[in-house]
Amino acid sequence: MDEIPAYLSVKVNFDNSDYDNVCDTFGGGFDRLPAWRELGNLLAHRPGWHFDVVNRGEALWCLGVLGECRLAIHVTEDLRYHCYDHGADSDTVAADTTAVETWLKDREEAARQPSPLIIEMASADSWKLLKSHPFRLRVSWSDGYYAASVAAHTHPRRTWRPSPPCSSRRRSSRAWTTSWS
């Protein structure tokens, strides 16, 4: 069975939000596209990771909740991966995605937890921020384990519908999406 690459599921909410187009335009051009695809395949279906265009139009993979970017990774001019840990204020340059995965090993779980600052901001005024904006919650399961992540802001309506099965090498799962306001 031909597996669809994980990076093909990534959207950035532009008129032309295809991952390849965004990486070509904001990620350093066509020459970096194979490295961006490898990074997208590594991160696209991992809980908490999101792909953004930040600052002055730079493509970046981030791990964090509520827009926080606790870990950040982007492709450099020499087709390596610049990895930055905001909590430790440290960075490294990885030669390939295997080295990126090694770098993530000791950091990823802790970075999935909200920082004290984001908890303070979110909990202000009796959690007003979370109550005033609709969010989409993505829940996936595999081998008896469940993972939930806030996938995106959504339109203010209630829905509960099965999503297509996730096509990740790491897990075979079925996911549901819910929205609330």
Side-chain angles (χ1 to χ4, degrees):
M1 177 172 88
D2 292 330
E3 187 172 319
I4 298 171
Y7 73 85
L8 288 177
S9 68
V10 176
K11 301 294 177 199
V12 185
N13 295 325
F14 293 150
D15 288 340
N16 189 2
S17 65
D18 174 86
Y19 183 72
D20 284 355
N21 289 330
V22 173
C23 291
D24 183 24
T25 304
F26 299 101
F30 183 76
D31 293 339
R32 294 190 204 179
L33 196 52
W36 278 111
R37 287 176 177 166
E38 286 184 40
L39 189 59
N41 278 334
L42 177 67
L43 303 175
H45 291 164
R46 289 169 96 124
W49 283 94
H50 47 96
F51 180 67
D52 293 313
V53 175
V54 299
N55 300 329
R56 293 163 292 194
E58 303 163 70
L60 184 70
W61 277 96
C62 291
L63 175 62
V65 296
L66 299 175
E68 213 175 17
C69 188
R70 307 225 21 226
L71 300 180
I73 305 173
H74 73 271
V75 177
T76 64
E77 289 180 22
D78 59 355
L79 305 180
R80 297 188 307 160
Y81 302 93
H82 183 252
C83 307
Y84 181 72
D85 182 334
H86 285 272
D89 193 22
S90 66
D91 65 340
T92 191
V93 177
D96 54 32
T97 54
T98 302
V100 170
E101 201 147 21
T102 300
W103 180 80
L104 290 173
K105 185 178 175 183
D106 297 329
R107 294 170 175 80
E108 193 170 26
E109 191 60 38
R112 284 192 182 107
Q113 305 304 313
S115 70
L117 177 61
I118 202 73
I119 290 173
E120 180 183 332
M121 290 171 58
S123 65
D125 296 325
S126 297
W127 300 91
K128 182 179 178 180
L129 172 69
L130 295 180
K131 292 176 184 176
S132 63
H133 297 284
F135 292 91
R136 180 176 301 146
L137 179 67
R138 183 170 176 85
V139 180
S140 59
W141 60 270
S142 177
D143 300 325
Y145 293 96
Y146 291 84
S149 60
V150 176
H153 289 309
T154 187
H155 298 289
R157 63 184 144 101
R158 288 181 193 273
T159 59
W160 183 262
R161 66 185 189 282
S163 301
C166 178
S167 61
S168 172
R169 288 178 283 154
R170 288 176 176 69
R171 65 181 180 273
S172 172
S173 67
R174 177 131 187 185
W176 287 270
T177 302
T178 185
S179 303
W180 69 92
S181 58

